[in-house]
Each structure stands twice: as structure tokens, then as C-alpha cells.
Amino acid sequence: MGVRLMVVDDHRLLAEALASALKLRGHRVLAAAAPAAGAAELVISRAPEVCLIGTATPAEPGTFDPVVRIKKERPQVAVVVLGPVPSPRGIAAAFAAGASGYVRHDERIEGVERALMKARAGEAAVAPALLQGAFSELLNPAAQPDDEGQRLLQMLTPREVEVLVRVADGEDTRLIAAGMGIAPSTARTHVQRVLMKLGVGSRLEAAALAARTGLLDRAGPIPQHAPSPALAPTPDSPEPDA
């Protein structure tokens, strides 16, 4: 008995080719649709037994949002993902969204057909080795590397980040104040706060830490400030550095 199904893919030609091949094998194809991201409404309204949904980016955030919606509104519809040679994370994302199977793009039509039949029967339509890797990823998600530069950057206000960049460029308190259009005493206070937040005791240590962690690369260029003559330092009023 053929499967009542829909074929959805971002590439319409692929969707139509798959639909034609499956029709020739005795399956009832209700529709071949593109793009995949906007097909949830059609799947929900037509209510096939199985939806075959293609994607080129299974590990990208949001890829399986349509699957989540389909399973929420039509839980009886089995979803089989057709995707590239997968990573465990991509398959894990598909199953986490509610998919019943995952088939590689380079699979023969017989393999696609077997996956559809298994999904309709309520079975997991994926190779055992791929399924094991997916479940391992779900149970033990890969930890993201500790990004010290990003962590330090989030501790500082935008103005403190600018002060740190200027310190790393070798500017003293007077130059920082002039460049930012603030009083030297305010600049000195900003410098002291930056040193405190970074947990270092000198400007040199702060500059070295920022360079080592990549914080300076993330900070971007120094913003341009309008000159403020009233706040500009004068030769006869020296301000000691922090």
C-alpha cells in the first residue's frame, strides 16, 4: 500500500523530481512544495501520512522550525528529513524537532521509500550508527569552547571598551580624555574601572590581556567623537595617569 505524502524542498526541481519518482512507485503525492521554510501551512492543511522535507543546512538554527510546527498542529504526520551527509548535531536537531527519520541526499530512491514506510509505521527511519550519534549529541551536547575575550567584553560598558582600546594603543589619560571629549578625571575613573573589572593592576597588563584573548579584535574601531574645546586639557594643568 502506497504512502500518502508530501515532498518539500528549498529546490523546487528536486521536490518535483522526487515526487515524480515516488508516484511511479505507487505512492500518492499530495503536493511538491518549495521553499521548505514556508511549507508548514500546506502540510498542516493537507495532513499527509508522511512529509519528506529537504534541507541543505541541518545544523543551522531555525532549520527545523517548520517540523516543530507540523508536529505541534498535526502530530500524526511523520516527518522524514532529506539532507546532506550529516553530523550528529544535525540529526539530533532533526529528532529534537520531532522528525521520525533522516535520509541522505545521495540515497537511492529505494532507500527513500524504505524510510517513508518506516516513518509511517512509527519506526525511526535512520541508520543505526547515525541514530546512535544523534542520541549521544542530545544527551551530551558538545560544550562550546570558553571564549574568554567575549566574556571579558561583556563585562565592560561600550565606553569602557573604548577606553581599553585607547589604552592598548598607548594613549595616556590626557589623550584618552581629548579623544573621547571628556574630562581627564573622568577618563582616569574609566581606566581604573577597566583595570578593576579585568582584574589587572596596570595599563600594560590590561593591554596584554586584551590582545591575548582577542578582545581588541572584537571591540571594533574607536568611534569618532566631536571635539570638545571646553574639556580639552591645557599645558599648565597636568593630569597624572592612573
Side-chain angles (χ1 to χ4, degrees):
M1 180 180 175
V3 178
R4 191 176 75 255
L5 63 103
M6 285 183 58
V7 182
V8 175
D9 196 281
D10 287 333
H11 302 284
R12 183 172 294 278
L13 285 177
L14 177 58
E16 292 176 350
L18 275 169
S20 296
L22 290 166
K23 282 180 181 178
L24 289 174
R25 300 181 74 86
H27 301 287
R28 182 185 174 193
V29 180
L30 302 180
E41 294 269 2
L42 187 58
V43 174
I44 291 166
S45 65
R46 302 297 293 273
E49 292 177 308
V50 182
C51 174
L52 180 63
I53 184 167
T55 177
T57 56
E60 289 294 315
T63 294
F64 297 117
D65 287 352
V67 179
V68 173
R69 187 177 172 204
I70 290 169
K71 296 303 294 183
K72 179 180 179 181
E73 300 196 28
R74 292 285 186 180
Q76 73 275 18
V77 176
V79 178
V80 175
V81 174
L82 182 69
V85 177
S87 67
R89 182 172 298 180
I91 302 177
F95 277 92
S100 299
Y102 191 105
V103 182
R104 287 170 37 160
H105 270 148
D106 57 359
E107 180 63 78
R108 297 174 63 88
I109 190 64
E110 293 85 358
V112 175
E113 185 178 37
R114 282 195 299 272
L116 297 176
M117 301 291 284
K118 282 188 172 184
R120 184 179 67 175
E123 301 176 27
V126 63
L130 299 182
L131 188 61
Q132 182 178 4
F135 284 162
S136 295
E137 178 68 27
L138 282 171
L139 295 173
N140 303 290
Q144 296 298 315
D146 181 29
D147 190 335
E148 188 179 3
Q150 182 64 26
R151 179 179 62 81
L152 294 175
L153 192 62
Q154 291 174 346
M155 293 170 56
L156 306 175
T157 66
R159 177 150 287 196
E160 289 167 350
V161 171
E162 180 180 352
V163 168
L164 178 58
V165 172
R166 290 179 179 277
V167 166
D169 284 343
E171 295 186 9
D172 60 17
T173 302
R174 189 183 305 281
L175 288 175
I176 293 172
M180 297 180 65
I182 58 178
S185 58
T186 302
R188 188 166 59 252
T189 298
H190 282 316
V191 171
Q192 291 169 345
R193 286 177 178 168
V194 168
L195 299 184
M196 180 185 66
K197 287 185 177 183
L198 296 182
V200 295
S202 70
R203 296 175 181 228
L204 182 60
E205 289 181 74
L209 178 63
R212 177 176 60 79
T213 60
L215 191 155
L216 296 177
D217 295 331
R218 295 177 179 274
I222 295 176
Q224 298 299 313
H225 299 275
S228 180
L231 295 175
T234 58
D236 57 351
S237 60
E239 286 284 346
D241 286 345

